[in-house]
Amino acid sequence: MCIVSEDTYGYAFFNELLKGLKERYNINDLALHNLGRSYNTYRGSHYDKLNKITKALCASNDCDIIIVTKDADGSNINDVRGEIMHYIPNDCNKVKVLVFDYEIEDWIVYNILGRLSPKPSKYLMEHFQYDKSQLPKYAKDILNNIKSLCELESFRTFLRYLCIENIVCRQDK
């Protein structure tokens, strides 16, 4: 599996999250391929770069699934997904788009508050002196309360893409 994140620290966050899921639920076949810094991130609205990255990944055998992440920042999730899909090669069926309601930090703030916040990164900055570089360390924190995240559609979609939604959201662990 490959993840192409809008966030610079997104790859490291998902890598930590997957390590924790593998360990906690004894799932051996979860592996995240490191594409290198220039391929792990496409930054905001740099869709030409996203197109080049997904085109290269679709042509390679490195990834059986390619998850592209995008912050909706409160916009309609389906519109955002459609916008991203416009830049994905039509002949590539390996790409799945994961859209956060607001930001990747949705999962962290939901874990803390039990609800979403319109600007989760700002909430974390104001209450926890959060810096984007800290994103990967929060993966371990959300694993401690993972059942609550099953209430979020974005998290369930992520697990569905990994084919582990039923394991994580329905297993008592």
Side-chain angles (χ1 to χ4, degrees), residues 119-134:
K119 195 68 177 155
S121 59
K122 185 177 178 183
Y123 173 85
L124 292 170
M125 286 176 203
E126 290 172 356
H127 294 87
F128 299 97
Q129 291 75 49
Y130 172 74
D131 179 83
K132 278 281 195 183
S133 65
Q134 298 171 326

Side-chain angles (χ1 to χ4, degrees):
M1 165 190 22
C2 296
I3 291 184
V4 181
S5 176
E6 177 183 22
D7 288 275
T8 302
Y9 298 98
Y11 170 83
F13 171 78
F14 283 107
N15 192 41
E16 289 301 315
L17 182 60
L18 288 172
K19 282 183 198 173
L21 289 169
K22 282 174 74 166
E23 183 179 308
R24 183 175 185 151
Y25 295 99
N26 205 19
I27 305 168
N28 295 324
D29 59 347
L30 281 182
L32 184 57
H33 184 71
N34 188 347
L35 306 167
R37 188 172 182 91
S38 65
Y39 273 93
N40 287 338
T41 307
Y42 67 93
R43 304 284 300 165
S45 61
H46 294 131
Y47 296 130
D48 290 340
K49 182 176 181 184
L50 176 63
N51 179 265
K52 289 176 187 173
I53 292 169
T54 55
K55 198 177 283 186
L57 293 176
C58 289
S60 80
N61 291 323
D62 290 336
C63 311
D64 55 341
I65 183 173
I66 303 161
I67 298 175
V68 175
T69 69
K70 177 72 175 153
D71 297 343
D73 295 313
S75 296
N76 181 286
I77 289 173
N78 291 325
D79 291 347
V80 173
R81 185 176 287 112
E83 181 181 355
I84 293 293
M85 290 306 292
H86 178 74
Y87 293 93
I88 306 300
N90 290 333
D91 59 344
C92 184
N93 58 5
K94 296 194 263 185
V95 176
K96 308 290 184 196
V97 179
L98 176 64
V99 181
F100 298 98
D101 290 275
Y102 296 100
E103 301 172 327
I104 193 170
E105 289 87 357
D106 283 354
W107 296 353
I108 300 165
V109 170
Y110 193 87
N111 190 46
I112 295 167
L113 297 176
R115 62 179 170 80
L116 291 176
S117 171
K119 195 68 177 155
S121 59
K122 185 177 178 183
Y123 173 85
L124 292 170
M125 286 176 203
E126 290 172 356
H127 294 87
F128 299 97
Q129 291 75 49
Y130 172 74
D131 179 83
K132 278 281 195 183
S133 65
Q134 298 171 326
L135 183 62
K137 90 169 188 75
Y138 280 94
K140 291 179 179 146
D141 293 341
I142 67 172
L143 284 165
N144 293 330
N145 194 18
I146 203 158
K147 292 296 181 198
S148 70
L149 288 178
C150 290
E151 297 170 7
L152 286 179
E153 185 58 35
S154 61
F155 188 71
R156 290 184 78 93
T157 298
F158 174 66
L159 297 177
R160 203 172 306 122
Y161 290 164
L162 303 178
C163 300
I164 62 170
E165 178 186 13
N166 290 338
I167 295 169
V168 175
C169 292
R170 296 200 175 105
Q171 184 176 347
D172 293 322
K173 276 216 171 193

